[in-house]
Amino acid sequence: MSGLSTALIVIGLFLIGGIYSFVKQQMPKSLIVLLSIGAAMCLVAGVLRLEVWN
């Protein structure tokens, strides 16, 4: 596992925690959707960069 893939996965998980927090605080839905897209992109990029696929 490379450092960049680890960082992307950790950032994605951090953003998921932010999504949970924003939902509990009843923040605007557009902000939650934007954060969800960012978290999904980070997680997908981190998983795709894993070296197990080669």
Side-chain angles (χ1 to χ4, degrees):
M1 186 183 284
S2 69
L4 182 58
S5 63
T6 304
L8 286 169
I9 292 171
V10 167
I11 291 170
L13 292 174
F14 177 77
L15 291 175
I16 288 175
I19 293 166
Y20 177 73
S21 174
F22 281 12
V23 168
K24 287 190 72 160
Q25 294 178 30
Q26 298 175 347
M27 298 293 269
K29 297 294 181 196
S30 60
L31 184 61
I32 294 170
V33 168
L34 183 63
L35 199 58
S36 301
I37 292 169
M41 287 173 48
C42 281
L43 286 173
V44 168
V47 168
L48 288 178
R49 286 192 54 88
L50 288 177
E51 295 168 356
V52 297
W53 308 115
N54 293 333

